[in-house]
């Protein structure tokens, strides 16, 4: 396993998951609800920024690796799924939306693994739709974690709208990847 700054940032993102989740299990006497929500949102934002930054550094410093290519999306999916489960527990996101997003992540991960085994991974390479979906999620989730107005603007409403956009993009991108993979799936199913 190579160890460089981009991979350390990815590991940091994974290590921040228990921090974000753990904040919601602290006794109420330790942190006020508003401080807890703020810390969770800020922690999630920092973790999300490492997602962009580790990829940028890996390309800029020519430190890309197959292990980093594997670990980065795993870290993203773990982070998003953990946050959605917390938000579901808090009643801040609908179970159906959580199921759509988490189900898609599992489905596309399995599809990419299988496509790599049959030598057709290029057909399910990351597409713009997936990037837009990720951006909508990475903005919606901290809004829903924070759950307080900022200068009179409801982060809850913004988060609700963006998580709905993310769910639509989730389904759309999943259908896109499945369509791209269909010829190889048909070929290998014979």
């Amino acid at each position: 396993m190579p160890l460089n700054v981009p991979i350390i940032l990815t590991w940091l993102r994974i290590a921040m998951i228990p921090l974000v989740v753990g904040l919601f299990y602290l006794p109420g006497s330790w942190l006020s609800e508003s401080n807890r929500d703020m810390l969770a949102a800020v922690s999630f934002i920092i973790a999300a920024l490492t997602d962009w930054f580790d990829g940028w550094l890996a390309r800029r410093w020519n430190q890309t690796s197959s292990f980093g290519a594997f670990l980065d999306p795993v870290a993203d999916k773990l982070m998003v799924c953990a946050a959605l489960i917390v938000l579901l527990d808090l009643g801040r996101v609908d179970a159906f939306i959580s199921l759509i997003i988490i189900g898609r992540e599992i489905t596309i991960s399995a599809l990419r693994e299988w496509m790599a085994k049959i030598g057709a991974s290029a057909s399910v390479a990351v597409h713009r739709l997936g990037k837009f979906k990720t951006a909508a999620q990475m903005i919606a989730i901290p809004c829903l974690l924070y759950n307080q107005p900022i200068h009179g603007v409801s982060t809850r409403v913004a988060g609700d709208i963006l998580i709905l956009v993310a769910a639509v993009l989730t389904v759309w991108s999943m259908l896109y990847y499945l369509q791209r993979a269909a010829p190889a799936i048909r070929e290998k199913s014979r």
Side-chain angles (χ1 to χ4, degrees):
M1 172 184 78
L3 194 59
N4 54 39
V5 173
I7 288 178
I8 290 169
L9 288 172
T10 304
W11 280 116
L12 175 64
R13 188 160 67 257
I14 292 170
M16 289 184 77
I17 295 167
L19 171 66
V20 173
V21 173
L23 286 168
F24 292 94
Y25 292 95
L26 291 175
S29 60
W30 288 20
L31 277 176
S32 68
E33 185 176 321
S34 62
N35 284 339
R36 176 203 67 193
D37 290 354
M38 181 190 61
L39 283 172
V42 168
S43 297
F44 188 90
I45 291 167
I46 291 168
L49 289 174
T50 67
D51 178 28
W52 173 82
F53 197 54
D54 65 11
W56 181 79
L57 284 177
R59 288 184 297 277
R60 183 169 175 94
W61 293 348
N62 197 26
Q63 293 182 343
T64 58
S65 67
S66 56
F67 181 74
F70 155 76
L71 190 62
D72 184 65
V74 170
D76 298 344
K77 287 163 184 34
L78 287 172
M79 185 175 71
V80 167
C81 292
L84 285 172
I85 291 168
V86 166
L87 291 168
L88 182 62
D89 186 50
L90 295 169
R92 296 181 189 174
V93 72
D94 186 74
F96 187 64
I97 288 177
S98 297
L99 186 60
I100 286 171
I101 293 171
I102 293 170
R104 182 264 189 202
E105 298 301 347
I106 293 168
T107 302
I108 298 305
S109 293
L111 177 67
R112 284 190 172 129
E113 181 181 340
W114 188 69
M115 296 299 283
K117 281 184 183 177
I118 64 170
S121 59
S123 63
V124 288
V126 175
H127 184 265
R128 277 188 310 249
L129 277 173
K131 290 182 184 264
F132 291 142
K133 180 257 325 166
T134 299
Q137 284 176 180
M138 296 303 188
I139 298 169
I141 290 171
C143 286
L144 294 169
L145 287 169
Y146 187 63
N147 201 41
Q148 300 167 46
I150 299 175
H151 302 296
V153 176
S154 172
T155 58
R156 178 65 182 264
V157 171
D160 285 343
I161 292 168
L162 286 169
I163 204 71
L164 185 57
V165 168
V168 169
L169 290 173
T170 292
V171 172
W172 189 3
S173 66
M174 182 176 73
L175 293 174
Y176 170 81
Y177 290 127
L178 289 171
Q179 179 187 24
R180 296 275 313 206
I185 292 170
R186 279 194 293 275
E187 176 69 27
K188 292 298 179 178
S189 297
R190 294 179 187 170

